[in-house]
Amino acid sequence: MSAISLVGAAKDFGLRSLFADLDLHVGERDRLGLIGPNGGGKSTLLRVLAGLEPLDRGERRCHARTRVVLLDQEPRLDPSLTVLEQVFAGDGEAMALLREYAGVSHQLASGAEDDQLLARLSALQHRMDGCQAWDLERRCREVLERLGINAAQQERTIGELSGGNRRRVALAAALVAEPEVLLLDEPTNHLDAEGVEWLQSYLDRFAGALVLVTHDRYLLDRVTRRIVAVERGEARPYEGNYGTYLGLKAAEEEAEASTAAKLKGTLRRELAWLRQGPKARSTKQKARLQRIDALLEAPARQGRTSLAMAATARRIGKRAITAEGLAVAVGERTLLSDFSYDFSPEDRVGIIGPNGAGKSSLLEVIAGRRPPSEGLLELGATVKLAYFDQHSDVLLAKDGKRKVIEVVQEAASRVQVDGVELTASQLLERFLFPPAQQHQPVAKLSGGERRRLHLCRLLIEAPNVLLLDEPTNDLDVHTLSVLEEFLDDFRGCVVVVSHDRWFLDRTVDRLFHFEDGRLERFEGNYSSWLERKAESPATAPGSAAAAAVAQVAAKRSAPSAKVPADGPRRRSFKEVRELERLETELPQLEQQRRELEQHLAAPSGPDYARLEELTHELAGLVERIHAAEERWLALSELAT
């Protein structure tokens, strides 16, 4: 039985059709993922399913008693309500009591001493005892905590919160409402890695139907059971999760390419016939001319637009970024202290940690937008840095009334890309901005389209150091896959702050994670880091075991360690043999690493399972090499 059905649905956006003749049924336990390019109509389709956006043609069917909740990309919240009051804004007696209780409690906490308020609070408590409202309150507070809204923030009003916290509150309100149909538009935006992991487990247990729009491909792959691709005025369903969709899509594109090749051959023969003299032509001239017209029209109907992301190359020297004793503070709070690292010209570094740890602040220091509170930061003499921050709204503030093409022309009217000179208009077409859209104001673009425009403008300036702060926010999955391929070929240093596991696995080979105001280094990608973290719960951050391990490590690395009076310790026979083995093994491991990197760099089909397997294997090998090198150094320092 369907919870929501669209029959013959059509929706236009100006002269452009978002979808037409769409039949879509959302079952009671469905797990549906919507994917497609930014501006393609995914968010509009969610609003249509929610009953908030009218159809131009067709019909929406939904039982009046079916509760449907939508998390919009820009949720409308009441700025005068507290966080708890907003989360308690759902239907039902328990929610109504909790909402009233939170309001009275807030008045009393604000200093209002009123006997009537106290009496009202007491009466509410008795009524709440009878409908299990306390359990609901506990669950609401737990969801807020899991999404990064602590107890102190829960008592603040919505108007006092940042945009990211408001969105997390809206997500919490949608989850605790427990509707029959839950519609989520980019729910992972502004969540840290732990929040995303928790959300995934919550959605796995959700009892109702789920329709999801997200750029997080791990979440999409694990939670959904059906994919609907919204693209070029069509909405096409695919049975299976995201991984299955990729396989089906690849086979579909291969079939289309084969059909296009056959069509081209047929068209060539027909045109050759057409160029012959009238006497050489068949008597069925009219029918063949009609056939040629049909063939000429067919490629236009089948043609696909694809994002081509490339940048001009700029030489980078031997030094990219040097940080020595770096400290970052916001106000009186120190976010990072004593960080030293030389970023090489070929580094692929990911920075992870909970929200508020200081990831974005560190990137702002590296980008020169804020000074470090202590230490030294130097860029190489040949460094041309580009900072893709979270706030593409800067285009609205600065260029909102300007045309799309003017924003790009300001950076460069012409640019060399892959040896070909392109105009600003041609470059925008590569970034999926057709000529008609290039002359629209920036303010009319969707959030994802503004992010894509921001990225286009940065890349045409030919940077050789890229700082990417949550680059996956608001970008569609196709753009992300093209960006990942671009970074594979990018000749320069890349530093990424992200919670997107798929993106980090594809783009980085070294991580720095925030631990109590320090950056801890890990060789490998994000999946490897999660595995290591899961394997050693006893040494989790903050535990006594972790403190003991850190203390031992500090003693081992202390430069002032004293040599015993009877001289340095000699290598044992066993250690001599171990050193000899390591000297043979290390070159072999390095050779294996080079071979794996060549496999990953080689062009291949969409075998993402194999790609993930090779990535994990490389991360494990890098970690093994690092451990072997450390052991070799330790043994080499011993006397013979």
Side-chain angles (χ1 to χ4, degrees):
M1 181 178 176
S2 296
I4 304 177
S5 292
L6 300 181
V7 181
K11 184 69 180 177
D12 300 328
F13 185 74
L15 299 176
R16 181 164 58 99
S17 174
L18 295 180
F19 50 86
D21 298 323
L22 172 63
D23 291 333
L24 180 63
H25 304 279
V26 181
E28 292 179 343
R29 288 278 300 166
D30 221 340
R31 293 289 187 272
L32 182 64
L34 300 182
I35 65 172
N38 294 125
K42 303 185 297 296
S43 296
T44 302
L45 182 53
L46 276 188
R47 292 182 61 81
V48 167
L49 288 170
L52 302 177
E53 187 83 30
L55 286 167
D56 294 326
R57 297 177 297 281
E59 182 183 1
R60 173 185 180 269
R61 299 172 183 170
C62 181
H63 195 281
R65 293 183 180 177
T66 300
R67 290 187 306 130
V68 181
V69 170
L70 168 67
L71 172 70
D72 219 335
Q73 284 201 42
E74 297 179 1
R76 295 182 179 180
L77 306 178
D78 188 338
S80 65
L81 295 180
T82 66
V83 168
L84 286 173
E85 287 173 330
Q86 183 68 61
V87 173
F88 297 153
D91 299 328
E93 181 187 2
M95 278 292 191
L97 289 173
L98 283 172
R99 193 160 54 245
E100 188 177 357
Y101 180 80
V104 173
S105 299
H106 184 63
Q107 290 181 57
L108 289 170
S110 301
E113 295 184 6
D114 189 329
D115 290 340
Q116 289 185 345
L117 281 178
L118 290 171
R120 186 175 160 199
L121 188 71
S122 178
L124 283 171
Q125 288 173 336
H126 285 297
R127 291 175 61 192
M128 289 167 68
D129 288 336
C131 65
Q132 298 182 331
W134 298 114
D135 290 339
L136 180 59
E137 183 197 29
R138 178 185 51 77
R139 189 163 73 251
C140 290
R141 288 184 180 274
E142 180 185 355
V143 170
L144 284 166
E145 288 275 358
R146 292 284 196 167
L147 295 177
I149 306 296
N150 60 37
Q153 291 171 319
Q154 292 171 21
E155 305 301 329
R156 297 171 64 184
T157 61
I158 298 295
E160 298 177 79
L161 301 180
S162 66
N165 279 341
R166 290 186 189 190
R167 188 164 167 77
R168 287 193 282 270
V169 170
L171 175 58
L175 296 179
V176 300
E178 296 189 341
E180 279 80 22
V181 182
L182 181 60
L183 310 173
L184 300 179
D185 196 352
E186 296 293 359
T188 63
N189 281 0
H190 306 290
L191 293 184
D192 58 23
E194 290 185 3
V196 174
E197 289 291 326
W198 176 85
L199 177 63
Q200 177 192 308
S201 64
Y202 188 97
L203 294 179
D204 283 339
R205 301 189 304 270
F206 178 63
L210 172 68
V211 183
L212 179 67
V213 171
T214 181
H215 62 264
D216 191 310
R217 286 157 290 179
Y218 270 111
L219 184 68
L220 197 62
D221 193 52
R222 294 184 181 183
V223 172
T224 61
R225 302 192 194 110
R226 188 155 57 103
I227 298 291
V228 173
V230 183
E231 184 180 8
R232 296 179 297 132
E234 298 178 346
R236 304 183 64 178
Y238 297 83
E239 291 298 325
N241 62 5
Y242 180 65
T244 305
Y245 158 78
L246 289 175
L248 294 171
K249 192 70 170 175
E252 189 178 275
E253 290 180 354
E254 284 178 9
E256 285 189 6
S258 176
T259 302
K262 291 177 182 177
L263 182 69
K264 190 177 290 185
T266 304
L267 183 59
R268 191 182 298 112
R269 289 192 297 273
E270 293 295 319
L271 288 173
W273 170 84
L274 188 62
R275 293 189 184 103
Q276 293 176 0
K279 292 181 180 180
R281 294 182 188 148
S282 149
T283 55
K284 298 180 180 179
Q285 182 173 337
K286 185 176 181 181
R288 292 196 76 166
L289 288 173
Q290 290 173 343
R291 181 183 177 190
I292 291 171
D293 288 340
L295 290 171
L296 288 170
E297 289 176 7
R301 289 197 300 267
Q302 291 181 359
R304 291 183 178 274
T305 53
S306 60
L307 178 62
M309 194 176 295
T312 55
R314 185 187 295 265
R315 188 184 69 84
I316 186 170
K318 294 181 179 179
R319 291 178 61 248
I321 307 166
T322 300
E324 292 183 8
L326 203 66
V328 179
V330 175
E332 297 182 356
R333 183 183 168 211
T334 299
L335 301 174
L336 174 65
S337 60
D338 196 25
F339 173 59
S340 298
Y341 181 69
D342 284 330
F343 292 87
S344 76
E346 298 178 354
D347 249 341
R348 297 290 188 271
V349 176
I351 300 176
I352 60 175
N355 285 328
K359 304 183 298 295
S360 296
S361 298
L362 175 59
L363 283 196
E364 287 179 354
V365 169
I366 296 174
R369 294 191 179 183
R370 69 163 69 204
S373 55
E374 291 180 16
L376 176 68
L377 181 79
E378 288 186 349
L379 302 183
T382 59
V383 164
K384 171 65 176 176
L385 187 145
Y387 181 26
F388 187 54
D389 63 16
Q390 295 188 47
H391 309 293
S392 296
D393 287 344
V394 67
L395 292 177
L396 280 180
K398 186 179 178 182
D399 303 302
K401 295 182 180 179
R402 301 178 67 193
K403 296 176 181 177
V404 170
I405 194 167
E406 291 173 345
V407 173
V408 175
Q409 284 175 332
E410 184 181 62
S413 59
R414 290 180 177 272
V415 64
Q416 287 281 339
V417 177
D418 294 336
V420 179
E421 186 176 71
L422 299 177
T423 64
S425 178
Q426 290 170 326
L427 185 69
L428 279 168
E429 285 193 62
R430 286 196 172 200
F431 277 76
L432 302 187
F433 291 102
Q437 196 177 25
Q438 294 174 16
H439 295 276
Q440 290 182 353
V442 172
K444 287 194 174 182
L445 299 179
S446 70
E449 287 170 329
R450 287 199 298 271
R451 294 281 282 170
R452 198 182 334 128
L453 177 61
H454 189 190
L455 191 59
C456 173
R457 176 166 170 161
L458 285 177
L459 295 183
I460 65 172
E461 295 175 355
N464 49 30
V465 173
L466 279 177
L467 307 181
L468 306 176
D469 192 0
E470 298 293 358
T472 64
N473 281 359
D474 296 321
L475 290 181
D476 59 78
V477 293
H478 176 59
T479 302
L480 288 176
S481 64
V482 175
L483 176 58
E484 289 161 358
E485 291 174 7
F486 168 82
L487 293 177
D488 285 342
D489 298 327
F490 178 69
R491 297 179 181 178
C493 176
V494 180
V495 184
V496 182
V497 167
S498 181
H499 63 263
D500 190 312
R501 178 174 168 181
W502 190 300
F503 187 80
L504 287 173
D505 281 353
R506 279 290 316 272
T507 56
V508 307
D509 49 28
R510 177 174 298 123
L511 289 176
F512 284 99
H513 55 100
F514 274 84
E515 296 286 355
D516 299 324
R518 301 182 71 85
L519 278 176
E520 301 294 335
R521 179 173 165 176
F522 176 80
E523 296 296 326
N525 61 17
Y526 186 63
S527 290
S528 301
W529 181 78
L530 282 179
E531 289 171 7
R532 171 63 63 86
K533 189 177 177 184
E535 287 171 1
S536 54
T539 56
S543 67
V549 169
Q551 189 175 10
V552 171
K555 287 180 179 178
R556 286 179 177 172
S557 60
S560 58
K562 295 182 179 179
V563 178
D566 57 350
R569 186 174 73 81
R570 293 178 178 274
R571 281 196 293 268
S572 67
F573 177 79
K574 184 178 179 181
E575 288 169 335
V576 170
R577 292 290 175 264
E578 184 182 1
L579 184 60
E580 291 173 353
R581 179 181 58 78
L582 287 171
E583 287 172 346
T584 304
E585 186 179 306
L586 275 169
Q588 296 172 350
L589 292 174
E590 288 292 347
Q591 178 62 29
Q592 292 176 30
R593 176 180 178 172
R594 285 191 292 271
E595 290 172 358
L596 274 175
E597 288 172 343
Q598 287 171 3
H599 279 304
L600 284 169
S604 60
D607 189 350
Y608 285 87
R610 177 59 178 160
L611 181 62
E612 184 178 0
E613 180 184 334
L614 287 174
T615 304
H616 281 281
E617 189 176 343
L618 178 60
L621 186 60
V622 168
E623 200 173 322
R624 187 177 166 191
I625 290 172
H626 181 69
E629 287 174 342
E630 291 287 333
R631 182 59 177 161
W632 181 86
L633 285 171
L635 293 174
S636 298
E637 291 173 355
L638 298 177
T640 58

